[in-house]
Amino acid sequence: MLYREAGQFKTSYAADQQIFPIRQDRIAIGLILVVAALVVPMVASEYWIKAILIPFLIFSLAALGLNILTGYAGQLSLGSAAFMAVGAFAAYNFMGRIEGMPVLLAFVGGGLSAAAVGILFGLPSLRIKGFYLAVATLAAQFFIVWALTKFGWFSMDSSSGVITAQEIQILGYRFDTPISLYLLVLTIVAVMALAAKNMVRSSVGRAWMAVRDMDVAAEVIGIRIMHTKLLAFAISSFYCGVAGALYAYAYLGTVEPEGFNLDLSFKILFMIIIGGVGSIMGSFLGAAFIVLLPIFLDVLIQDFLTGLLPPSISSNLQLMVFGGLIIFFLIVEPHGLARLWQIGKEKLRLWPFPH
Amino acid sequence: MSEQNQNGRRVGEVILDLQNISLRFGGVKALTDISFNVKEHEIRAIIGPNGAGKSSMLNVINGVYHPQEGRIVFHGEERKKMEPHMAATQGIARTFQNIALFKGMSVLDNIMTGRITKMKCGFLEQALYLGRAQKEELAHREKVEEVIDFLEIQHIRKTPVGRLPYGLQKRVELGRALAAEPSLLLLDEPMAGMNVEEKQDMCRFILDVNDQFGTTIVLIEHDMGVVMDISDRVVVLDYGKKIGDGTPDDVRNNQEVISAYLGVAH
Ligand SMILES: Nc1ncnc2c1ncn2[C@@H]1O[C@H](COP(=O)(O)OP(=O)(O)OP(=O)(O)O)[C@@H](O)[C@H]1O
Ligand SMILES: [Mg+2]
């Protein structure tokens, strides 16, 4: 079946306003979900599920969160990992301090806590932009990790702030196998991605993009800038917070505040730069890319380049490739993989008659 | 209480009254003691040489700038300190001298954004896109399609505005303002930089908006031919002061205006 709009005449605005207006896109998303939910658990090895797919989904969610803030609302942030930390530690506290706390509610609580902190650290965005705002979020990054390490209360007085996630039980079912955890994460991420897609194509999303593209005009049209920016910080941090809770509960099991350091924030930023700034799909592409690249490079070095490269280079190859790619995307294709994909699709739509 | 004026327009009561407006930026006096009014349904032009304070005047009207002195009465109510988004909810829309579209968005989304003050669903409803949010989105889409038809830009609906030529961008910006169904529309040099044909189209749209929707229009324009043709009354500014106010004929014959503005080529 060709990727084609021809013959799909939209006879109503409702049809044109669907979440995925082109039929092939709807089918593709459906297929991906079916494969992810039914086929993957049957064929993927435990290593793939635990070490690749689960972190991929969690990073996608965090990248999605950052993309809402940076890609859609235009507010640069270097504090994504810190908001993840807030989500993880808040969920841990909800679980540990409240008897019988349902774990999903604890995740939501983690997200909401991160949202509250996000609003607080988003306040400077009302005054400053761009580089200076990035520095302000950097302060958030350092402050939050410091506070979580320094005050034992946040980790319920475990040594040096290390927390070990309680086990996950929902309606009596224990999520203790990699597959069950994977399916849980997949469900949460799919639902939240769908919600994000809906938001960015509604008036909230348009308000974010308006503020991003031209804030004076946005205000003149009737958009309340303060409200719009802070909402972006809140929702973005909510996504990062839930991602952080999943990071602790479904991926690592044991984390310390330092696990959510600036490196992780940068990693998430790189995901959206490579995947596509201002694109939901780009968040997933970028996360996949950054999760898979090191594995790919390891295989490459071990199987093909052993002995060819001096160890000083092969051990740093990952960083060098990363750096090169970031520069490539910033200069050549600022909209990332998602844009390359889009161009490919547009070509395909018209193929074989490009004019 | 409406009277027919020379253009055959039904001009009504005063809806916007500016009294003794003064605006300074540090030492720069952008506007000094300016008073004039705008009547319902009329097309009111503001003219003057570069730097005369025309754009500043529009910015005062829709709350972007706050004058140090003066009173503004809109629809019979004196305005307290007001932010631009409040002006928008009161029915004031505008376009900008330098196109201020949302570059990363499509034509359709830009114009949809114009209806934002009319959209009531919260982000949670929109995230779920069920029931009310969906209905609302579709209802507004229909309104926006009317604007798109009116401006004859159906063929570029889905195009990112950044890719459009200048003339069309100006038209989309008008569309975004119209989508708000404003009672007062402020246009800052809507025809600047256009070729003759595009200017004619734009004139037609402005007159049609005024005629079909009864929208009151305040317009800044440098093209004297256009101003004399389509406006009912003209205010002339020079160095932040008002030096003329009246029908196009009055203004054309005003000696001070001739020496300050019309006589000076620029
Ligand atoms: N935000 C601002 N800050 C400082 N000065 C300003 C500002 N806006 C306008 N001015 C000054 O106010 C004066 C009037 O400017 P304005 O833009 O209103 O003129 P204009 O009549 O629209 O001119 P043009 O025909 O060039 O558009 C100018 O001297 C300008 O430098
Ligand atoms: Mg001007």
Side-chain angles (χ1 to χ4, degrees), chain A residues 16 198 201 203-204 206 213, chain B residues 104 126-127 129 137 141 158:
Chain A
D16 198 36
N198 278 335
R201 70 200 178 99
S203 70
V204 213
R206 286 192 293 266
D213 286 349
Chain B
Q126 298 187 347
Y129 199 65
E137 187 82 5
R141 171 77 190 267
K158 297 280 173 78

Side-chain angles (χ1 to χ4, degrees), chain B residues 25-240:
Chain B
F25 297 103
V28 179
K29 288 184 176 170
L31 298 170
T32 311
D33 196 26
I34 292 187
S35 304
F36 71 97
N37 62 34
V38 179
K39 294 179 179 169
E40 197 162 16
H41 303 310
E42 80 173 334
I43 297 183
R44 187 73 150 123
I46 302 179
I47 64 171
N50 292 104
K54 307 180 293 296
S55 298
S56 302
M57 198 67 238
L58 290 197
N59 280 329
V60 165
I61 295 175
N62 77 336
V64 178
Y65 293 163
H66 304 284
Q68 281 82 7
E69 282 144 49
R71 272 164 43 99
I72 302 173
V73 181
F74 186 54
H75 282 304
E77 267 180 62
E78 175 162 5
R79 175 195 287 181
K80 301 284 171 288
K81 190 173 160 79
M82 182 166 76
E83 296 306 322
H85 68 84
M86 296 152 84
T89 48
Q90 292 184 1
I92 304 179
R94 80 174 277 188
T95 65
F96 293 82
Q97 183 168 355
N98 306 309
I99 299 171
L101 284 170
F102 307 126
K103 286 276 179 314
M105 297 159 73
S106 68
V107 169
L108 182 63
D109 280 343
N110 265 278
I111 302 179
M112 282 292 274
T113 312
R115 295 194 65 78
I116 212 139
T117 55
K118 297 186 160 28
M119 302 187 79
K120 300 285 172 263
C121 286
F123 71 93
L124 273 178
E125 283 172 286
Q126 298 187 347
L128 301 172
Y129 199 65
L130 295 170
R132 213 161 77 100
Q134 186 171 7
K135 253 193 230 131
E136 184 181 69
E137 187 82 5
L138 292 176
H140 289 283
R141 171 77 190 267
E142 271 183 41
K143 280 283 176 198
V144 164
E145 288 293 337
E146 285 172 26
V147 173
I148 288 178
D149 287 345
F150 177 81
L151 294 175
E152 299 156 17
I153 47 177
Q154 300 88 340
H155 57 296
I156 51 166
R157 284 200 183 83
K158 297 280 173 78
T159 313
V161 290
R163 285 196 215 159
L164 296 175
Y166 181 84
L168 276 180
Q169 291 198 15
K170 282 257 176 197
R171 208 187 287 186
V172 174
E173 205 189 5
L174 175 64
R176 187 179 66 187
L178 289 179
E181 299 177 78
S183 62
L184 176 61
L185 178 60
L186 314 175
L187 304 173
D188 198 342
E189 306 199 15
M191 285 161 250
M194 287 186 165
N195 62 34
V196 177
E197 204 177 319
E198 289 172 326
K199 275 190 187 176
Q200 281 171 352
D201 280 342
M202 189 52 97
C203 272
R204 181 164 55 86
F205 292 133
I206 292 171
L207 288 169
D208 282 353
V209 168
N210 179 257
D211 194 44
Q212 291 181 24
F213 313 132
T215 312
T216 310
I217 294 173
V218 177
L219 156 109
I220 297 175
E221 188 46 57
H222 278 299
D223 186 322
M224 278 307 128
V226 168
V227 170
M228 296 302 162
D229 265 4
I230 70 173
S231 50
D232 299 306
R233 292 191 298 157
V234 183
V235 181
V236 191
L237 302 184
D238 189 23
Y239 290 112

Side-chain angles (χ1 to χ4, degrees), chain A residues 16-346:
Chain A
D16 198 36
Q17 293 282 73
Q18 286 179 78
I19 184 160
F20 302 110
I22 297 180
R23 193 197 302 133
Q24 282 87 341
D25 283 341
R26 287 198 292 280
I27 295 172
I29 297 285
L31 269 181
I32 290 175
L33 281 176
V34 168
V35 168
L38 300 178
V39 182
V40 166
M42 288 193 290
V43 299
S45 69
E46 194 170 310
Y47 166 77
W48 263 82
I49 288 184
K50 260 168 56 181
I52 297 172
L53 291 172
I54 290 179
F56 155 67
L57 287 170
I58 293 172
F59 283 134
S60 298
L61 190 61
L64 191 53
L66 180 61
N67 228 334
I68 287 173
L69 184 63
T70 303
Y72 287 95
Q75 311 298 307
L76 186 54
S77 164
L78 294 175
S80 321
F83 298 127
M84 287 176 74
V86 173
F89 279 76
Y92 178 73
N93 276 279
F94 283 123
M95 290 293 285
R97 289 176 197 274
I98 301 173
E99 195 63 39
M101 182 79 182
V103 69
L104 288 181
L105 216 54
F107 290 169
V108 172
L112 290 177
S113 310
V117 176
I119 291 175
L120 191 66
F121 283 99
L123 286 173
S125 72
L126 306 180
R127 276 302 171 86
I128 55 180
K129 294 181 185 175
F131 174 73
Y132 295 95
L133 178 61
V135 172
T137 59
L138 198 59
Q141 169 68 47
F142 287 121
F143 176 79
I144 289 170
V145 171
W146 171 81
L148 292 176
T149 316
K150 168 90 181 167
F151 302 104
W153 188 88
F154 290 119
S155 50
M156 306 208 310
D157 299 310
S158 63
S159 66
S160 68
V162 180
I163 57 170
T164 300
Q166 301 87 347
E167 78 171 10
I168 303 180
Q169 261 199 32
I170 298 174
L171 303 173
Y173 180 81
R174 299 223 324 251
F175 288 76
D176 48 7
T177 62
I179 289 185
S180 63
L181 286 172
Y182 163 77
L183 288 174
L184 178 68
V185 173
L186 178 68
T187 310
I188 293 174
V189 172
V191 167
M192 287 178 75
L194 213 61
K197 179 86 187 165
N198 278 335
M199 278 189 281
V200 299
R201 70 200 178 99
S202 302
S203 70
V204 213
R206 286 192 293 266
W208 287 336
M209 292 185 272
V211 168
R212 170 194 72 188
D213 286 349
M214 186 67 75
D215 52 0
V216 180
E219 205 180 0
V220 162
I221 278 172
I223 293 171
R224 286 171 300 161
I225 305 283
M226 179 173 94
H227 177 265
T228 304
K229 282 185 178 173
L230 292 183
L231 186 64
F233 267 97
I235 294 179
S236 160
S237 306
F238 180 87
Y239 275 69
C240 288
V242 173
L246 292 174
Y247 193 69
Y249 279 80
Y251 177 43
L252 292 180
T254 300
V255 272
E256 52 178 342
E258 221 5 77
F260 297 98
N261 61 12
L262 184 61
D263 277 1
L264 185 60
S265 282
F266 269 116
K267 212 167 168 179
I268 295 164
L269 182 63
F270 291 165
M271 287 175 194
I272 72 167
I273 291 174
I274 290 179
V277 174
S279 157
I280 302 285
M281 190 181 60
S283 317
F284 285 87
L285 293 178
F289 197 89
I290 291 207
V291 169
L292 290 176
L293 184 70
I295 297 169
F296 173 75
L297 288 178
D298 277 352
V299 172
L300 190 74
I301 292 169
Q302 274 170 14
D303 294 0
F304 299 101
L305 301 175
T306 24
L308 291 179
L309 293 175
S312 62
I313 292 192
S314 59
S315 62
N316 286 317
L317 192 63
Q318 198 181 327
L319 286 176
M320 290 170 6
V321 173
F322 255 21
L325 280 168
I326 298 290
I327 293 170
F328 169 81
F329 275 105
L330 283 177
I331 295 175
V332 180
E333 190 44 81
H335 294 287
L337 293 170
R339 178 80 192 121
L340 294 178
W341 172 249
Q342 188 96 34
I343 293 172
K345 275 207 312 194
E346 271 173 30

